[in-house]
DNA sequence: CGACGCTTTGAGGAGATTCAAGACACGTGG
DNA sequence: CCACGTGTCTTGAATCTCCTCAAAGCGTCG
């Protein structure tokens, strides 16, 4: 069976810059001019690798820059004083990581690889430099950051819905993000465990499992461990729209 | 009894600019140089008034700029397709409103006055201009925006805790924000209803009421309708730290 | 092949919701 | 100034959703 782990096809290309990266319409370059992308390309630090379970940055460590995921996937975790942990978000290729450290210059969250991954990073001291040279780029960063705010608002809204609605929304959201990256939106492999999904959605992992199998019984999806196939996308979305 | 509605003492001063505003160390100017504050002052549109219940901006309307609250208080609401509403945040003087529209140029949220309020606003087309002239200022906006992200993460974390923990946290958080603005942190008047608190915390308004009176029975607070007095702040904070 | 971790499934229990009804506060008009 | 009406707040009882605890199945990797 095909493995749906996302891998950038250009990782084998040694001369990749932001200009010829295949994620350019998802990542920071999206919407920038040629010359701006070229300038960005000169400042970016490429080909950083992490294996499954390895930390990209720790909560409490100084902010060293923004990170753009090239391939693989990661999870963004937050911890409070009581040791309670929250899986803030799953990160897919083309998505930006690190905003949690920009405000105070200290990371509030910990980023951990869910599988082998490759990322680029834009050093902190170069962000201000960019802001000076390219207002459009700095405005774009601001937009990206605000976008994260919007998606957090959606997350809070979701936390008010029932467990079934949350799981339906999670499946559809992941599906959309796979599609945006050129992968099948109907059948894919989840790189995260039930435990991690549950943590992210605010429900017990047993509940995640129960509901996925309930959806299977209703012929909305087909699930076997980490492999997932959407059968009736429309009804699945009606599910949490109504 | 003193009314705890926050009012900027300088509203009667006709020549207020960012340079002599008494909220300068809470609002956008915080951390900026004299000349930067002066430049900001020239771009800002002042003395906009809204009465209780009036809308500052609507979800779906085009982004027209960032708003800094001078006096009074507001609530930031979000609505999903199903008509479900979420009270995203309460806004106090010195806080920035409008990030929800910066990413897509269309507001995702609706901002509504909780009482008579006064605000300044920085028009959208001037934000890019500012970014060009003052990298520090644009970087500051980015920081502010990321800060919002951090506080949303905290909000999601809070949504995992029990109802009692949420109410305790809400009281302490409001208390801290009053203190930061120079008002008593131990006794104040809530400008929002139980319904609005419940919506914000993700619990029924009956539960808010029950728990506040439970806290009163435990001699942690004293509550009478909208008037609130903190008796034992330490134990109240232990409450959700342990 | 065995051990470990992840997933599934079941039963009982706790916390919060919903519905309902009464108390209180505030503003309006007589 | 008081009576009235409306909206907010409080309190109670029944219900429900989801959690916790427990144990068994499945897969994977050394």
């Amino acid at each position: 069976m095909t493995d749906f782990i996302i891998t950038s096809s250009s990782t084998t290309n040694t001369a990749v810059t932001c200009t010829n990266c295949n994620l350019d319409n998802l990542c920071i370059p999206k919407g920038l001019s040629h010359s701006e992308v070229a300038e960005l390309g000169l400042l970016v630090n490429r080909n950083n690798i992490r294996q499954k379970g390895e930390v990209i940055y720790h909560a409490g460590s100084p902010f060293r820059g923004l990170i753009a995921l090239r391939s693989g996937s990661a999870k963004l975790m937050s911890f409070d004083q009581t040791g309670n942990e929250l899986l803030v978000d799953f990160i897919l290729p083309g998505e930006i990581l690190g905003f949690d450290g920009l405000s105070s210059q200290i990371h509030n969250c910990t980023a951990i690889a869910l599988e082998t991954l490759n990322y680029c990073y834009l050093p902190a001291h170069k962000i201000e430099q960019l802001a000076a040279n390219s207002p459009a780029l700095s405005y774009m960063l601001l937009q990206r950051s605000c976008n994260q705010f919007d998606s957090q608002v959606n997350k809070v809204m979701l936390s008010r819905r029932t467990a079934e609605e949350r799981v339906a929304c999670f499946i559809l959201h992941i599906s959309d993000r796979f599609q945006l990256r050129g992968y099948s939106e109907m059948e894919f492999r989840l790189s995260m465990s039930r435990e991690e999904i549950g943590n992210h959605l605010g429900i017990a992992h047993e509940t995640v499992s129960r509901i996925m199998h309930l959806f299977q019984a209703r012929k909305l999806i087909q699930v076997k461990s980490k492999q997932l196939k959407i059968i009736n996308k429309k009804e699945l979305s009606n599910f949490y729209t109504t």
Side-chain angles (χ1 to χ4, degrees), chain A:
Chain A
M1 183 166 271
T2 318
D3 195 345
F4 286 93
I5 291 180
I6 291 184
T7 330
S8 163
S9 61
S10 53
T11 42
T12 51
N13 183 339
T14 52
V16 174
T17 72
C18 292
T19 308
N20 61 14
C21 176
N22 61 348
L23 292 170
D24 60 346
N25 64 341
L26 288 173
C27 188
I28 297 186
K30 182 184 178 188
L32 293 183
S33 74
H34 267 292
S35 64
E36 284 163 340
V37 177
E39 180 180 3
L40 177 67
L42 295 176
L43 301 177
V44 165
N45 187 320
R46 256 168 280 277
N47 259 326
N48 302 277
I49 310 285
R50 288 287 182 282
Q51 302 299 327
K52 178 174 180 169
E54 287 183 356
V55 169
I56 304 171
Y57 57 77
H58 255 112
S61 69
F63 174 70
R64 290 188 309 154
L66 290 175
I67 287 166
L69 198 60
R70 282 281 304 285
S71 67
S73 58
K75 60 178 178 180
L76 186 63
M77 315 277 309
S78 179
F79 303 87
D80 64 9
Q81 313 97 314
T82 74
N84 239 321
E85 69 174 47
L86 168 69
L87 204 161
V88 177
D89 219 345
F90 296 111
I91 316 292
L92 298 184
E95 294 176 338
I96 315 295
L97 206 50
F99 287 115
D100 57 277
L102 210 148
S103 174
S104 63
Q105 300 291 306
I106 299 286
H107 281 292
N108 281 308
C109 299
T110 299
I112 298 176
L114 283 175
E115 54 194 324
T116 303
L117 58 80
N118 184 329
Y119 67 88
C120 304
Y121 105 91
L122 178 60
H125 63 276
K126 293 188 174 163
I127 297 177
E128 290 198 57
Q129 176 182 337
L130 262 176
N133 295 351
S134 168
L137 211 154
S138 79
Y139 194 68
M140 199 283 320
L141 281 181
L142 181 59
Q143 289 187 322
R144 277 308 179 91
S145 155
C146 291
N147 213 3
Q148 300 244 333
F149 173 73
D150 296 341
S151 78
Q152 283 304 306
V153 170
N154 286 331
K155 214 145 284 168
V156 176
M157 288 213 109
L158 197 61
S159 77
R160 304 292 160 85
R161 325 290 303 268
T162 66
E164 294 186 9
E165 291 170 317
R166 297 186 211 190
V167 173
C169 184
F170 168 77
I171 293 171
L172 290 167
H173 189 220
I174 281 281
S175 165
D176 284 350
R177 286 158 84 189
F178 274 105
Q179 183 177 28
L180 205 60
R181 284 159 185 78
Y183 296 89
S184 167
E185 94 238 45
M186 299 306 275
E187 187 169 8
F188 42 83
R189 186 183 166 280
L190 301 168
S191 59
M192 66 293 286
S193 69
R194 298 285 187 271
E195 180 68 48
E196 286 165 330
I197 296 172
N199 183 332
H200 181 55
L201 296 177
I203 54 185
H205 69 273
E206 296 96 326
T207 307
V208 176
S209 192
R210 271 186 260 271
I211 290 175
M212 284 196 169
H213 286 261
L214 176 72
F215 285 172
Q216 179 162 269
R218 291 188 198 161
K219 302 204 192 317
L220 301 181
I221 64 173
Q222 218 173 290
V223 59
K224 189 172 184 198
S225 190
K226 289 190 155 45
Q227 201 64 30
L228 197 144
K229 186 175 180 179
I230 299 179
I231 306 292
N232 190 336
K233 191 168 186 173
K234 189 163 177 297
E235 195 165 333
L236 201 57
S237 59
N238 280 340
F239 203 92
Y240 83 106
T241 312
T242 14

